[in-house]
Amino acid sequence: MKDYEKEVSLEELSYELDVMLEAMLLNAGVKRNKLEEACELYVENIDDVLQSLDKSVDGVDEILAVVEYLRKNHTELFGK
């Protein structure tokens, strides 16, 4: 069995995380033509949103809280 962690570069991992973020935001309802802006806003606001959360919130719920923040504060990103 190969040691996967040693075979994946930081660049490759970063690319995969970018793709996953885009997919998650699309699934959350972000318009395709607003995807780049939504990704930037997600990254720019993640620390502030996480600091405002109850300490019992963690993991997946942290990610969902940032998406909810975008829904409430950047409605122009989302479409039908």
Side-chain angles (χ1 to χ4, degrees), residues 17-31:
L17 288 172
D18 285 343
V19 170
M20 288 175 59
L21 176 58
E22 289 177 355
M24 186 254 319
L25 290 171
L26 282 172
N27 194 50
V30 170
K31 299 178 214 173

Side-chain angles (χ1 to χ4, degrees), residues 52-68:
S52 71
L53 295 177
D54 183 298
K55 298 296 180 197
S56 65
V57 175
D58 64 354
V60 171
D61 292 326
E62 291 175 327
I63 294 168
L64 295 174
V66 180
V67 172
E68 190 57 33

Side-chain angles (χ1 to χ4, degrees), residues 27-43:
N27 194 50
V30 170
K31 299 178 214 173
R32 275 196 189 267
N33 65 338
K34 297 288 186 173
L35 192 54
E36 185 175 336
E37 181 182 356
C39 288
E40 289 173 10
L41 286 166
Y42 181 95
V43 171

